[in-house]
Amino acid sequence: MLKLMKQNPWLLGANMSILSVIKYQIVESKSGHKIPKINNIHLHSTYDPRYEAERFILENEDLLKNNNKVLLLGLGFAYHAQYLVTFLKNL
């Protein structure tokens, strides 16, 4: 990241302020799955992140079937990416 900031000095202010406030932990959901917690914000469900990911994919099933491109943002521990790959393989 340091090389990126040196090559793009305009990034320096934004990235340094972000880096200076990040506090992260790995915590366990009620279902026993690990989830990242950044600045006291859980990036997945604190109950069952795998169920949350599967539900998200199923709720968007029509969109996924009708489009040939998917932009996936925010990975966390990628529970939703795992279900997305499985879903797309089965189309």
Side-chain angles (χ1 to χ4, degrees):
M1 186 186 264
L2 211 43
K3 183 177 179 183
L4 178 66
M5 288 189 287
K6 284 181 182 177
Q7 292 173 345
N8 301 283
W10 57 272
L11 288 174
L12 185 62
N15 284 327
M16 290 308 288
S17 63
I18 290 169
L19 289 174
S20 65
V21 296
I22 289 181
K23 175 185 172 195
Y24 71 93
Q25 296 174 281
I26 307 301
V27 297
E28 194 171 294
S29 68
K30 294 190 186 304
S31 63
H33 298 97
K34 304 278 187 225
I35 54 174
K37 184 177 175 183
I38 298 178
N39 288 344
N40 292 319
I41 298 171
H42 295 92
L43 299 187
H44 295 289
S45 166
T46 57
Y47 293 94
D48 192 341
R50 289 185 185 227
Y51 173 75
E52 168 195 319
E54 183 178 24
R55 188 182 77 209
F56 174 77
I57 298 304
L58 293 175
E59 286 174 356
N60 292 286
E61 184 174 357
D62 290 338
L63 286 171
L64 293 168
K65 285 182 179 178
N66 295 324
N67 293 287
N68 62 356
K69 293 182 176 78
V70 175
L71 175 62
L72 188 60
L73 301 173
L75 289 179
F77 280 166
Y79 292 114
H80 57 308
Q82 294 167 4
Y83 281 98
L84 177 62
V85 168
T86 301
F87 177 83
L88 294 175
K89 280 184 181 178
N90 293 323
L91 284 182

